[in-house]
Amino acid sequence: MNEMETLKQWIEESKRIVFFGGAGVSTESGIPDFRSVDGLYNQKYAYPPETIISHSFYKRNPEEFYRFYKDRMIYQDAEPNAAHKALAKLEEEGKLCSVITQNIDGLHQMAGSKKVLELHGSIHRNYCEKCRKFYSLDYVVQSKGVPKCECGGTVKPDVVLYEEGLDTDTINQAVYELKHADMLIVGGTSLVVYPAAGMIDYYKGNKMVLINLAPTSRDNMADLVIKGKIGEVFEEILGK
């Protein structure tokens, strides 16, 4: 039995699948990842992207932060790809119990997934730092420079910047899902961003599948490794 047949069989046999994904899930939707050859970290800016999307830089230089954020972190025209759609379909069929994502683009929900745990937040949620009033993505995009609340406070996207901690409730939910999963599919992530990457250690089953274009440091831990684009893999085993 080849890799694809094994993956298909495991999915058919499983009842509590958890999907853990990263930037590679959205690259097929035209959103660049951070670490590939043409990813954001290999493009030239006045400051390194890692510096710009840190909490201290955001506080020190919100104008430059928002210039980069609006230009390079928001892709409003992006549409869900075959991977997002396949996962939503598996959830609808009662096989997949949750998607744990490091992405902030909201494409899983757009595809129809209901149980999505966003480890790094979402560009679609924005709050005034002063009064906590909610603002939409459109408001942030259309505001000139730094978006401001009517109370005068700065509107900050609900995304986890470098130097910020992950949301405790989201982590706890993700840990619960991983501990109770009978299959774990890890896709489109290099597994180098911690603490998120370390979360897969909570899975104790024997059907851990790693789907990624490049090798990861966790390949030797996986029960099945498939090299390829996550959308194309799902399309092949589940159909469009």
Side-chain angles (χ1 to χ4, degrees), residues 1-14 17 19 90 183-186 207-211 224-226 230 232-238:
M1 194 156 50
N2 68 24
E3 295 165 344
M4 294 298 196
E5 287 168 345
T6 302
L7 176 58
K8 191 168 187 175
Q9 184 180 319
W10 285 4
I11 288 174
E12 285 169 1
E13 293 170 352
S14 302
I17 302 170
F19 178 80
L90 286 172
M183 179 177 183
L184 173 62
I185 303 174
V186 181
K207 290 179 187 168
M208 178 171 147
V209 184
L210 251 173
I211 307 168
L224 179 64
V225 177
I226 298 175
I230 183 88
E232 291 177 3
V233 170
F234 273 128
E235 208 161 46
E236 186 173 331
I237 61 161
L238 299 175

Side-chain angles (χ1 to χ4, degrees), residues 99-173:
V99 168
I100 303 170
T101 181
Q102 299 172 78
N103 297 339
I104 59 174
D105 50 47
L107 291 179
H108 284 292
Q109 291 94 327
M110 209 182 291
S113 289
K114 303 283 191 291
K115 184 69 181 285
V116 182
L117 300 173
E118 297 170 310
L119 295 177
H120 295 152
S122 172
I123 59 170
H124 297 281
R125 297 189 299 268
N126 304 275
Y127 297 95
C128 170
E129 291 189 288
K130 199 170 171 185
C131 73
R132 298 301 293 167
K133 182 179 175 180
F134 172 86
Y135 284 91
S136 68
L137 176 60
D138 282 341
Y139 182 85
V140 171
V141 170
Q142 289 163 17
S143 59
K144 289 180 180 173
V146 180
K148 293 288 184 180
C149 175
E150 54 193 23
C151 80
T154 298
V155 176
K156 180 183 181 291
D158 186 17
V159 299
V160 179
L161 305 178
Y162 285 105
E163 305 163 352
E164 292 180 341
L166 304 187
D167 178 72
T168 307
D169 287 343
T170 306
I171 291 173
N172 291 339
Q173 287 180 60

Side-chain angles (χ1 to χ4, degrees), residues 22-43 45 68 71-75 78 103-105 107:
V25 178
S26 293
T27 51
E28 289 169 83
S29 294
I31 299 177
D33 73 13
F34 270 36
R35 289 175 173 79
S36 66
V37 176
D38 54 353
L40 288 181
Y41 285 0
N42 289 288
Q43 297 175 18
Y45 295 95
F68 178 88
D71 187 39
R72 293 294 173 186
M73 305 288 285
I74 297 172
Y75 292 83
N103 297 339
I104 59 174
D105 50 47
L107 291 179

